[in-house]
Amino acid sequence: MNRISLPSPIGKHKVGRMSIQLTDQNRLEAYSTEKKDKKRELVVWIWYPAELLTDSKRAIYLPDKWSEADFVYGVKLGTTKFECHSFENAPVATYQSNYPVIIFSQAGFSVLSYSAIIEEIASHGYIIVGINHTYDAPVTVFSDGRVIPASPQFMEGVNSRAGSIEESFQFRSAVANYKTADIKFVADQLENITKGSNVLAGRLDLTALGVFGHSLGGNAALEFCRKDDRCKVAVNLDGANWNEVGKVGLKKPAMIIAAEHPEFSLPCEEMVNAKLFPSIEWCEEERHLVSQGWQIIVDQATPGYGLTILGAKHTNFADIQFADIPPDSPFRVVMGAAKPELIWHITCDYLLAMFDTYLKSKIPSPLLDGSDKPYPEVVLGRFFED
């Protein structure tokens, strides 16, 4: 099988990668099918600016058991031989004493399956703390060998449009809130991590904390930043905002990076006939929630930014866009027409514009105010007609 190299990071730093396991003694697992009093456990993967030693080894994209069940939409990522550009447990770069920290919240794919974007951001001088949300991610592997797949209850509740509209929306809101609590817990643990004895000891600048996420992880990122004073900036990659932040916004710098959504632009009658929605009412309600929530974020954030990447679809923010998917594969319907490398470049450039401006106090990027428009595929402003 041919190996597929993910895009090479273009920042000046090499990238290190490590993982840690955390247990929240104050919360129970919400979606566990095991014992009901199970404490919330997470695996967190961390990418950071690194200095390589002579024996530094390239990280395996999906190591060991992480490849066992990492598939979405019928595509098994474990059989896609991606090559990443991180180095396992390499020393942290000494270019500066510490580095701004960005928490990342995945959705659907494992956190390792966003390596292309994460490695690029880390190469520009950031420590990325990626949460693999247990029972949400396709697989979570713990140090004792346990392999926890995604919860069928969770996946059905998130992806189904069965039952009532109210119940479906409430379920997704509860998931976003649960992921928000994961982000807060991890943020709470970062102080212990930087005081510990691992390679990150003393290297996290927790006065410069940002957050971003994909899909429901993007919703959770915004909600965390709304509620937590430690957060300085948030970006949502194509996630509808099901919980409170989508109703009231947040008074922080924030950005929505959206894919194209023809299901929200074309007449609802056509979408029902295509079986994308069970009813015209459902289509109209969900369209209104998504468009209104995104616009509230852009309008209420201080400042707020919004853009759509033409030719991108919802899954183009994960590494699977670089896989060699057959043209007749059903997976193609959730992949955009734009070249994956282009979508990756656009996403990373706008993420870096936000984080450089609001975590590193650089002069605001001209990308943010639209004075620099290098990508005709980027549409600033409103996302789709409500």
Side-chain angles (χ1 to χ4, degrees), residues 260-268 271 287 383-385:
E260 282 194 281
H261 285 276
E263 73 274 23
F264 293 134
S265 301
L266 298 173
C268 277
M271 297 299 95
R287 175 178 298 184
F383 303 98
F384 48 82
E385 292 300 321

Side-chain angles (χ1 to χ4, degrees), residues 235 255 257 307 345-355 367-368 372-375 378 380:
V235 182
M255 174 178 278
I257 301 179
L307 62 104
H345 272 293
I346 292 171
T347 303
C348 292
D349 281 357
Y350 278 89
L351 284 169
L352 286 167
M354 287 293 285
F355 297 140
L367 286 177
L368 297 182
D372 184 13
K373 299 179 180 179
Y375 300 111
V378 170
L380 302 175

Side-chain angles (χ1 to χ4, degrees), residues 21-43 131-137 140-142 146-151 153-154 174 178-179 181-182 185:
Q21 187 170 314
L22 300 170
T23 301
D24 187 345
Q25 298 294 340
N26 297 316
R27 287 193 302 144
L28 299 178
E29 293 282 9
Y31 305 104
S32 172
T33 56
E34 303 172 37
K35 55 186 181 181
K36 299 302 181 182
D37 59 347
K38 186 178 178 63
K39 300 296 184 182
R40 179 63 167 162
E41 296 177 284
L42 295 170
V43 174
I131 304 172
N132 200 78
H133 297 279
T134 315
Y135 296 102
D136 169 337
T140 304
V141 182
F142 290 103
R146 285 175 297 143
V147 179
I148 307 297
S151 160
Q153 170 201 359
F154 173 88
Y178 195 64
K179 292 166 81 80
D182 281 349
F185 168 66

Side-chain angles (χ1 to χ4, degrees), residues 107-168:
F109 301 91
S110 81
V111 72
L112 291 169
S113 298
Y114 295 88
S115 290
I117 287 176
I118 292 174
E119 288 179 338
E120 170 63 3
I121 303 304
S123 78
H124 289 266
Y126 293 94
I127 295 175
I128 313 297
V129 180
I131 304 172
N132 200 78
H133 297 279
T134 315
Y135 296 102
D136 169 337
V139 64
T140 304
V141 182
F142 290 103
S143 57
D144 60 6
R146 285 175 297 143
V147 179
I148 307 297
S151 160
Q153 170 201 359
F154 173 88
M155 297 304 295
E156 174 68 18
V158 167
N159 296 316
S160 173
R161 289 188 171 102
S164 73
I165 298 174
E166 182 180 16
E167 289 174 343
S168 176

Side-chain angles (χ1 to χ4, degrees), residues 1-7 61 79-85 319-320 322-325 341:
M1 178 179 295
N2 293 330
R3 292 185 177 272
I4 301 172
S5 180
L6 295 176
Y61 179 71
T79 62
T80 298
K81 299 300 182 182
F82 282 134
E83 290 183 334
C84 61
H85 301 279
D319 297 338
I320 191 63
F322 298 105
D324 187 16
I325 306 296
E341 291 80 4

Side-chain angles (χ1 to χ4, degrees), residues 164-351:
S164 73
I165 298 174
E166 182 180 16
E167 289 174 343
S168 176
F169 287 14
Q170 286 178 347
F171 185 92
R172 297 179 200 184
S173 176
V175 170
N177 287 334
Y178 195 64
K179 292 166 81 80
T180 301
D182 281 349
I183 297 175
K184 181 184 182 302
F185 168 66
V186 170
D188 292 343
Q189 300 307 302
L190 292 181
E191 193 70 42
N192 296 330
I193 293 171
T194 196
K195 290 178 179 177
S197 58
N198 59 42
V199 298
L200 296 173
R203 310 309 300 278
L204 285 72
D205 181 3
L206 299 180
T207 68
L209 177 66
V211 61
F212 75 117
H214 177 223
S215 195
L216 275 163
N219 181 176
L222 292 177
E223 178 70 356
F224 167 76
C225 208
R226 179 185 77 85
K227 297 172 66 175
D228 199 301
D229 290 340
R230 293 171 293 184
C231 180
K232 302 299 188 291
V233 56
V235 182
N236 179 345
L237 302 179
D238 205 46
N241 295 300
W242 303 95
N243 57 10
E244 191 68 10
V245 73
K247 302 172 184 176
V248 302
L250 71 164
K251 300 299 183 182
K252 304 277 186 69
M255 174 178 278
I256 302 289
I257 301 179
E260 282 194 281
H261 285 276
E263 73 274 23
F264 293 134
S265 301
L266 298 173
C268 277
E269 185 175 350
E270 291 184 22
M271 297 299 95
V272 173
N273 291 337
K275 301 188 183 306
L276 293 178
F277 295 96
S279 67
I280 291 176
E281 179 188 9
W282 195 305
C283 173
E284 291 174 344
E285 288 282 345
E286 191 162 329
R287 175 178 298 184
H288 179 72
L289 180 143
V290 175
S291 64
Q292 183 184 59
W294 282 351
Q295 203 59 49
I296 286 173
I297 298 301
V298 174
D299 291 344
Q300 296 297 321
T302 54
Y305 307 93
L307 62 104
T308 297
I309 304 175
L310 301 180
K313 287 192 177 180
H314 190 62
T315 58
N316 282 108
F317 297 99
D319 297 338
I320 191 63
Q321 69 169 334
F322 298 105
D324 187 16
I325 306 296
D328 59 347
S329 169
F331 188 76
R332 282 291 176 190
V333 302
V334 291
M335 301 292 288
K339 292 183 178 180
E341 291 80 4
L342 175 62
I343 298 171
W344 172 79
H345 272 293
I346 292 171
T347 303
C348 292
D349 281 357
Y350 278 89
L351 284 169

